[in-house]
Amino acid sequence: DADVTQTPRNRITKTGKRIMLECSQTKGHDRMYWYRQDPGLGLRLIYYSFDVKDINKGEISDGYSVSRQAQAKFSLSLESAIPNQTALYFCATSTPQGPYNEQFFGPGTRLTVL
Amino acid sequence: AQKITQTQPGMFVQEKEAVTLDCTYDTSDQSYGLFWYKQPSSGEMIFLIYQGSYDEQNATEGRYSLNFQKARKSANLVISASQLGDSAMYFCAMSTASSGANNLFFGTGTRLTVIP
């Protein structure tokens, strides 16, 4: 079984709809992250969480919110989806080792907003 | 500010040959880590190799090695004996102690195509 899972894997929705992407992990890591990937732009950080009570904005948090329901679960919400949020979304986890922050990625969720 | 630059949008290599993918980075931190990830067409992100800023030896993992030149702020990935399965996007990334989050900063990637 995969250590980091994301649901759904693919989603097509319409402008204005509320969407939730879910991430679960069995690695026991405290840190969890949400990234989006756009063609030609690499991955950019949306939100990150160091533990259940610690949630922080990343580089591109506008239009997104998150919830850390438990150590193992980190959800990303688009309150009112817009077409430029069409992207590939990744969840990742890590455990602190100084700056040596290898992150383990989920399989990604491909979101299309029409 | 932290920045990763990958100047090669696409690269081609003959099967069984070696290939170097370029990565330069910019940070004022003395302590940082450099990573390479592979993203096949299926989309997942696969960790390949890591280099710490204080590591004196270049990192190696099987057919992957990282050519770390600290003074030039470069961290190039070398893939030896290329295989067809190496065709993918490759991302260089950096994590710094002062970034607060210890999150990863990614480059824009290089698409490698291995030719039979």
Side-chain angles (χ1 to χ4, degrees), chain A residues 9 31 33 35 37 40-45 48 50 59 88 90 94 96-108 110, chain B residues 31-33 35 37 39 42-45 47 50 52-55 91 95-97 99-109:
Chain A
R9 294 294 312 278
R31 299 183 177 188
Y33 308 80
Y35 291 90
Q37 183 181 22
L41 292 180
L43 276 72
R44 293 180 293 165
L45 183 66
Y48 60 95
F50 281 179
E59 180 188 358
L88 183 58
F90 286 101
S94 74
Q97 298 176 46
Y100 311 142
N101 191 35
E102 178 189 345
Q103 294 186 11
F104 299 85
F105 285 81
R110 190 167 297 280
Chain B
S31 180
Y32 51 89
F35 303 80
Y37 283 84
Q39 186 179 41
S42 51
E44 71 268 31
M45 296 290 286
F47 166 75
Y50 157 81
S53 59
Y54 293 118
D55 295 342
F91 291 95
S95 176
T96 67
S99 67
N102 282 348
N103 51 292
L104 289 173
F105 298 91
F106 283 85
T108 53

Side-chain angles (χ1 to χ4, degrees), chain B residues 2-19:
Chain B
Q2 278 56 250
K3 187 176 181 182
I4 292 283
T5 302
Q6 295 179 255
T7 58
Q8 306 156 313
M11 290 282 288
F12 291 87
V13 63
Q14 203 75 35
E15 191 177 8
K16 300 181 184 177
E17 298 292 314
V19 63

Side-chain angles (χ1 to χ4, degrees), chain A residues 4-65:
Chain A
V4 184
T5 57
Q6 292 183 233
T7 55
R9 294 294 312 278
N10 289 281
R11 182 72 183 268
I12 300 173
T13 191
K14 294 182 178 180
T15 298
K17 294 291 187 181
R18 184 177 188 276
I19 296 296
M20 180 179 285
L21 309 182
E22 299 188 356
C23 176
S24 295
Q25 54 114 347
T26 59
K27 300 188 75 67
H29 288 170
D30 290 325
R31 299 183 177 188
M32 298 187 73
Y33 308 80
W34 276 104
Y35 291 90
R36 68 176 276 176
Q37 183 181 22
D38 298 280
L41 292 180
L43 276 72
R44 293 180 293 165
L45 183 66
I46 305 172
Y47 269 95
Y48 60 95
S49 170
F50 281 179
D51 64 42
V52 175
K53 297 180 182 179
D54 180 27
I55 292 178
N56 302 277
K57 294 181 178 180
E59 180 188 358
I60 52 165
S61 59
D62 288 349
Y64 302 94
S65 62

